[in-house]
């Protein structure tokens, strides 16, 4: 998966690029433009009206980038559009309340944010009908409950998994690795919103090396459980044994304790009385989870040593479908276009689930991903893309923004 590091941003000394203009957005067709290069992130205006704010993002750089909206503390992510490829222009909608935010980009999806700049949202939240407000309230309440339920399931699963690992019971730990991750993968965008918590839990080795950070979490343990051969390579083509040796018993205990503590922190954060999500968070979360599949799971880079990628794949798809399910009534209430979109998304979800079923299930297990041929991976990728196209329109429809 792709990761982000937000902690310590305020002291990073990043020069904010000047934003031109102070005109609030008026309609969805008046999208704010975001021009990205490898070392800049320029938003066309510095101010918008509260509600659904549309950004038209163009990557003029040489590699993948992402656009982020940070809260006033410059730490918490309140919106992001990942995996904007060179030459690509994409539309992204964020539901923003009045307040001070910061916009930034992240070259290659790693490192400190680039072009950090203040962004002000004025006015009041847009009024909605009582019926629509009731649907919104229900969607938010249900999705928050789902997140808390998934994290609550994750806590004991991680404890059982890490206990086996720390005790040297590798057979049991290998059996638990993929299934333990399912609850996490279903709600991954939630963890990603809490600064550096997701990287601590789910960082891949190549990401840690690129950032110069300690490598911890699921994938650090994974490599111990499936130790590479002497001539094996990491997913980036470097030697698998470069600056890596199997963990000592003491190190295993340290990594086990760290993962338990980090997952407990996630549980504590989502259990706070004021924890909530927005309607845009839910619909964008569905889109983001499918992006995770397209970027990390199809390639096999996520679970590089265990080849359990199909478990993560299926969990991401399930999470996306749950998020969609929470907002589909709102989308369908937007008229014929909304009803049609819901039908398209449901059809493509069914097709993707049917295709995944050829390789197993979360209940009965999946085949090892290294047995899935390139032709089969392309078939999976094509179906993910078929779902991504209508799903990418979900936030616009749910928030009532004109394309």
């Amino acid at each position: 998966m792709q990761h982000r590091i937000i902690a310590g941003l305020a002291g990073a000394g990043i020069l904010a690029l000047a934003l031109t203009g102070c005109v609030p957005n008026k309609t969805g067709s008046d999208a704010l433009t975001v021009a990205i290069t490898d070392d800049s992130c320029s938003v066309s205006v510095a101010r918008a009206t509260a509600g659904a704010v549309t950004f038209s993002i163009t990557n003029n750089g040489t590699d993948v980038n992402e656009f982020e909206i940070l809260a006033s503390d410059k730490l918490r992510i309140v919106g992001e559009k990942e995996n904007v490829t060179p030459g690509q222009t994409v539309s992204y909608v964020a539901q923003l309340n009045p307040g001070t935010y910061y916009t930034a980009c992240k070259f290659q999806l790693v490192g400190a944010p680039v072009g950090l700049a203040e962004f002000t949202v004025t006015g009041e939240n847009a009024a909605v009908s009582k019926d629509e407000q009731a649907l919104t309230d229900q969607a938010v309440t249900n999705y928050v409950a789902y997140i808390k339920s998934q994290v609550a399931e994750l806590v004991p699963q991680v404890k059982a998994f890490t206990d086996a690992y720390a005790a040297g019971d590798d057979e049991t730990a290998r059996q638990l690795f993929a299934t333990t991750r399912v609850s996490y993968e279903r709600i991954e965008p939630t963890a990603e919103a809490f600064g550096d918590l997701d990287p601590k839990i789910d960082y891949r080795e190549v990401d840690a090396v690129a950032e110069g950070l300690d490598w911890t979490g699921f994938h650090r343990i994974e490599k111990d459980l499936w130790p590479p051969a002497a001539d094996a390579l990491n997913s980036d083509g470097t030697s698998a044994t470069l600056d890596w040796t199997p963990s000592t018993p003491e190190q295993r205990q340290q990594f086990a304790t760290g993962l338990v503590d980090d997952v407990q922190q996630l549980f504590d954060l989502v259990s706070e009385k004021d924890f909530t999500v927005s309607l845009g968070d839910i619909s964008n979360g569905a889109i983001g989870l499918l992006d995770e599949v397209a970027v990390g799971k199809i390639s096999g880079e996520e679970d590089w040593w265990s080849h359990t990628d199909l478990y993560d794949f299926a969990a991401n798809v399930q999470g996306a479908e749950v998020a969609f399910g929470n907002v589909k009534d709102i989308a369908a209430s937007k008229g014929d276009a909304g009803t049609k979109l819901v039908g398209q998304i449901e059809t493509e979800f069914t097709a993707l689930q049917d295709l995944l079923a050829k390789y197993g299930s979360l209940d009965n297990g999946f085949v090892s991903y290294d047995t899935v041929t390139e032709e089969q991976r392309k078939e999976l990728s094509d179906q993910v893309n078929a779902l991504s196209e209508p799903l990418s329109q979900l936030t616009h429809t749910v928030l009532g923004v004109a394309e």
Side-chain angles (χ1 to χ4, degrees):
M1 63 169 291
Q2 306 299 327
H3 302 280
R4 69 267 327 134
I5 300 291
I6 303 300
L9 202 151
I14 299 172
L15 178 63
L17 298 180
L19 299 177
T20 60
C22 298
V23 181
N25 63 311
K26 297 177 181 178
T27 69
S29 59
D30 296 340
L32 283 63
T33 60
V34 182
I36 300 175
T37 68
D38 296 350
D39 57 3
S40 68
C41 183
S42 180
V43 183
S44 59
V45 299
R47 185 178 297 269
T49 302
V53 182
T54 302
F55 298 88
S56 178
I57 306 164
T58 301
N59 184 356
N60 299 308
T62 63
D63 207 341
V64 66
N65 214 310
E66 77 178 41
F67 174 68
E68 294 180 344
I69 304 169
L70 308 177
S72 59
D73 62 4
K74 304 178 185 177
L75 298 175
R76 182 172 57 89
I77 298 172
V78 299
E80 64 178 4
K81 182 60 180 177
E82 296 180 292
N83 305 312
V84 185
T85 57
Q88 184 181 28
T89 296
V90 299
S91 180
Y92 172 70
V93 183
Q95 183 74 26
L96 300 177
N97 293 326
T100 298
Y101 301 86
Y102 290 85
T103 59
C105 297
K106 189 169 291 186
F107 179 57
Q108 296 178 329
L109 315 186
V110 296
V114 173
L116 186 71
E118 186 171 316
F119 186 80
T120 303
V121 177
T122 61
E124 299 179 353
N125 292 333
V128 297
S129 69
K130 291 183 179 180
D131 288 344
E132 185 171 333
Q133 187 61 58
L135 288 174
T136 298
D137 291 344
Q138 182 179 25
V140 169
T141 298
N142 290 348
Y143 195 66
V144 168
Y146 171 73
I147 290 171
K148 291 181 178 181
S149 175
Q150 289 298 305
V151 179
E153 290 183 25
L154 182 64
V155 171
Q157 292 169 340
V158 166
K159 185 63 168 62
F161 166 64
T162 56
D163 280 352
Y165 164 70
D169 184 359
D170 288 5
E171 181 178 357
T172 298
R174 283 193 291 266
Q175 291 172 351
L176 294 174
F177 174 75
T179 55
T180 298
R181 290 171 52 75
V182 167
S183 294
Y184 186 80
E185 292 290 329
R186 286 171 177 154
I187 51 90
E188 195 166 2
T190 299
E192 291 173 349
F194 293 119
D196 65 352
L197 191 55
D198 173 67
K200 287 180 180 179
I201 294 172
D202 206 31
Y203 227 120
R204 298 179 307 149
E205 182 178 12
V206 294
D207 299 313
V209 170
E211 290 292 327
L213 299 174
D214 291 337
W215 181 35
T216 61
F218 277 118
H219 295 300
R220 180 62 182 82
I221 294 173
E222 177 195 8
K223 195 168 182 178
D224 276 336
L225 295 175
W226 285 271
D231 60 348
L233 300 177
N234 290 316
S235 61
D236 63 354
T238 59
S239 171
T241 57
L242 179 66
D243 299 324
W244 178 87
T245 56
S247 300
T248 64
E250 292 76 17
Q251 289 172 323
R252 282 190 173 218
Q253 185 61 63
Q254 178 185 352
F255 292 132
T257 300
L259 183 55
V260 168
D261 290 347
D262 290 334
V263 169
Q264 182 62 49
Q265 183 182 359
L266 177 61
F267 175 82
D268 293 342
L269 288 167
V270 303
S271 299
E272 292 284 348
K273 291 173 63 175
D274 60 350
F275 171 74
T276 190
V277 296
S278 70
L279 202 59
D281 291 334
I282 301 173
S283 57
N284 284 328
I287 298 167
L289 281 164
L290 206 65
D291 286 345
E292 292 283 349
V293 174
V295 173
K297 278 66 175 185
I298 291 292
S299 66
E301 295 179 38
E302 178 76 2
D303 300 315
W304 188 251
W305 305 113
S306 64
H307 304 300
T308 55
D309 304 85
L310 286 172
Y311 288 84
D312 290 357
F313 189 134
N316 283 160
V317 172
Q318 281 189 346
E321 194 163 18
V322 168
F324 163 67
N326 276 276
V327 300
K328 70 176 184 179
D329 287 347
I330 298 172
S333 72
K334 302 298 184 177
D336 291 343
T339 301
K340 180 180 178 181
L341 180 66
V342 167
Q344 291 174 330
I345 293 173
E346 289 179 329
T347 296
E348 299 302 344
F349 262 124
T350 298
L352 182 55
Q353 293 284 20
D354 289 346
L355 185 56
L356 268 173
K358 294 181 179 180
Y359 304 98
S361 68
L362 289 173
D363 290 335
N364 299 317
F366 284 100
V367 301
S368 180
Y369 199 56
D370 58 349
T371 68
V372 180
T373 67
E374 288 300 320
E375 182 179 356
Q376 291 170 326
R377 293 185 187 196
K378 184 180 185 305
E379 184 183 21
L380 287 165
S381 179
D382 288 346
Q383 185 54 52
V384 168
N385 291 337
L387 172 57
S388 294
E389 194 282 323
L391 194 64
S392 68
Q393 303 171 44
L394 181 63
T395 302
H396 290 83
T397 302
V398 166
L399 298 183
V401 181
E403 293 275 11

